[in-house]
Amino acid sequence: MDLKPNRLLSLDFMRGLIMVLLALESTSLYRRLTVQAEGTFLHGVMLQFEHHEWHGLRFWDLIQPGFMFIAGTALAYSLSKQYQNGLSWGQSLIKALKRSGWLFFWGVLDYAVRENGLSFELWDVLTQLSFTLLIAFLIYRWSALSQLLVSIGFLLLTEILYRYTHISGFDQPFTDQKNFGNYMDLILMNKINLGGWVAINCLPTAAHTIWGMMAGKILLNSRLVSGKLKTLVIAGICCLLSGYVLDVADITPIIKKIATSSFVLVSGGWCLLMLAFLYWWIDVLDHKSYLSFFLIIGMNSIFIYLFFEIVGARWFNGYVFAVTGGLMELVSIPGHISELISCLCIFALEWGLCYFLYKKRIFFRA
């Protein structure tokens, strides 16, 4: 695979892995496997590919934090390259504003088209990323201590808003449908998400993007590899311990849907440890074989995300299911196996689309 030697392949792989997992989820593969595993030990495993209902943490709850974290890491590499090429802060600001504007637009569009008309919603990860990336850009040149304090400030602000605003009907900070985040959704969108998600998650999850950006700056540093890894690992362990202590001590529960500070700390800790491990395994030990499968889909992450969210969910998936299901019915393949094959066919076609774009050197950037 033709890649520039100075690319951080661990970052490219992590982004690609997340997009592969999201693309497979969009085909309904996990949901169908969960149903088929009912009554077996595999059912508990497959539940890890669903968001926790409220208080708790599953593997799937780490996907969005990982997405926002690596966006921050990529930002650090992008800004470093821009400044090396002589771009001024003002020129970089214009690029950052355009990127955030497009992310906000696509995030709103993702949820806008409904069967009963148009809808204005701010729960998509892209709308949140449009805010967190801009914050990370604005503090990029600050000291590491200042950046850390800003991220902690967002977590403290979230705690204060949820605990001390005392708005009638929305004064139970960690109760679904009765918290400050739900109230803000009424103000911003005149509706509340029945699933418990809130738009102001962009405040606490700004820490994910800031920490990702800080991790990128650490990896860009010319210091010894051992020093970089030690910093990332220690930071990750500190985040994990802080978040789990807040939860176990019954101070702040781990709740992904409203991005409590304990959740942000724990998920951020796992992201730091994952990046440290992948950096050590791929970039330091030079294990770079067989990465292409993930890198190809990761290089067009925004495009494929919008494709399976908009085109896939509204037309493509159903069309492929009808074709593959009909063909497999002709050869008497059992329905439960036919469903899984159809899901994998959808994913294969989406990956093939990314491969076509890669070969044509077409890369969609926000």
Side-chain angles (χ1 to χ4, degrees), residues 21-30 308-309 312-313 317 346 350:
L21 290 170
L22 285 171
L24 287 170
E25 190 271 341
S26 74
T27 70
S28 301
L29 177 65
Y30 307 146
F308 61 65
E309 281 284 306
N317 291 9
I346 293 170
E350 291 174 344

Side-chain angles (χ1 to χ4, degrees), residues 24-25 27-34 46 340 343-344:
L24 287 170
E25 190 271 341
T27 70
S28 301
L29 177 65
Y30 307 146
R31 178 173 58 82
R32 295 175 189 278
L33 284 173
T34 301
M46 292 312 305
L340 300 183
C343 292
L344 294 176

Side-chain angles (χ1 to χ4, degrees), residues 273-317:
L273 293 179
M274 177 59 74
L275 180 62
F277 171 76
L278 292 176
Y279 174 69
W280 169 74
W281 181 256
I282 296 174
D283 294 295
V284 177
L285 298 185
D286 203 35
H287 290 131
K288 298 177 180 178
S289 302
Y290 311 112
L291 299 183
S292 299
F293 177 82
F294 297 95
L295 302 186
I296 285 170
I297 196 169
M299 286 184 172
N300 262 308
S301 56
I302 297 297
F303 166 79
I304 197 59
Y305 175 80
L306 291 170
F307 182 88
F308 61 65
E309 281 284 306
I310 298 176
V311 181
R314 290 166 174 80
W315 167 72
F316 185 73
N317 291 9

Side-chain angles (χ1 to χ4, degrees), residues 232-237 240 268-278:
L232 292 178
V233 170
I234 291 175
I237 292 173
L240 284 176
W270 284 119
C271 289
L272 284 162
L273 293 179
M274 177 59 74
L275 180 62
F277 171 76
L278 292 176

Side-chain angles (χ1 to χ4, degrees), residues 50-205:
E50 297 180 5
H51 289 300
H52 201 286
E53 290 82 359
W54 194 247
H55 178 196
L57 187 72
R58 291 175 178 165
F59 168 75
W60 199 247
D61 296 323
L62 302 176
I63 297 299
Q64 179 176 346
F67 189 81
M68 301 183 78
F69 178 89
I70 60 174
T73 309
L75 175 69
Y77 274 76
S78 174
L79 290 178
S80 175
K81 183 178 179 181
Q82 288 179 33
Y83 296 145
Q84 288 177 5
N85 291 337
L87 265 70
S88 66
W89 185 87
Q91 291 171 313
S92 292
L93 174 62
I94 293 174
K95 291 174 68 72
L97 290 172
K98 287 181 178 178
R99 178 183 59 241
S100 291
W102 277 114
L103 287 171
F104 185 86
F105 170 78
W106 290 119
V108 171
L109 181 65
D110 186 12
Y111 283 5
V113 181
R114 302 292 186 184
E115 291 183 359
N116 57 349
L118 297 179
S119 177
F120 177 70
E121 299 176 9
L122 300 172
W123 296 305
D124 191 86
V125 61
L126 297 184
T127 58
Q128 296 187 28
L129 194 58
S130 70
F131 173 81
T132 66
L133 273 175
L134 187 58
I135 294 297
F137 168 81
L138 292 174
I139 66 173
Y140 175 77
R141 294 190 176 185
W142 295 12
S143 68
L145 177 59
S146 297
Q147 293 168 349
L148 181 61
L149 290 175
V150 169
S151 67
I152 294 174
F154 275 112
L155 298 184
L156 291 175
L157 173 61
T158 303
E159 290 277 351
I160 292 170
L161 291 174
Y162 275 82
R163 292 177 183 272
Y164 302 114
T165 45
H166 300 304
I167 297 168
S168 179
F170 300 96
D171 52 0
Q172 299 180 44
F174 307 123
T175 301
D176 188 18
Q177 308 298 307
K178 299 181 183 297
N179 57 69
F180 178 76
N182 300 137
Y183 170 74
M184 285 305 301
D185 284 348
L186 281 179
I187 299 298
L188 295 170
M189 297 172 282
N190 196 34
K191 66 181 73 174
I192 294 177
N193 188 297
L194 297 179
W197 307 100
V198 298
I200 63 166
N201 279 353
C202 63
L203 295 177
T205 57

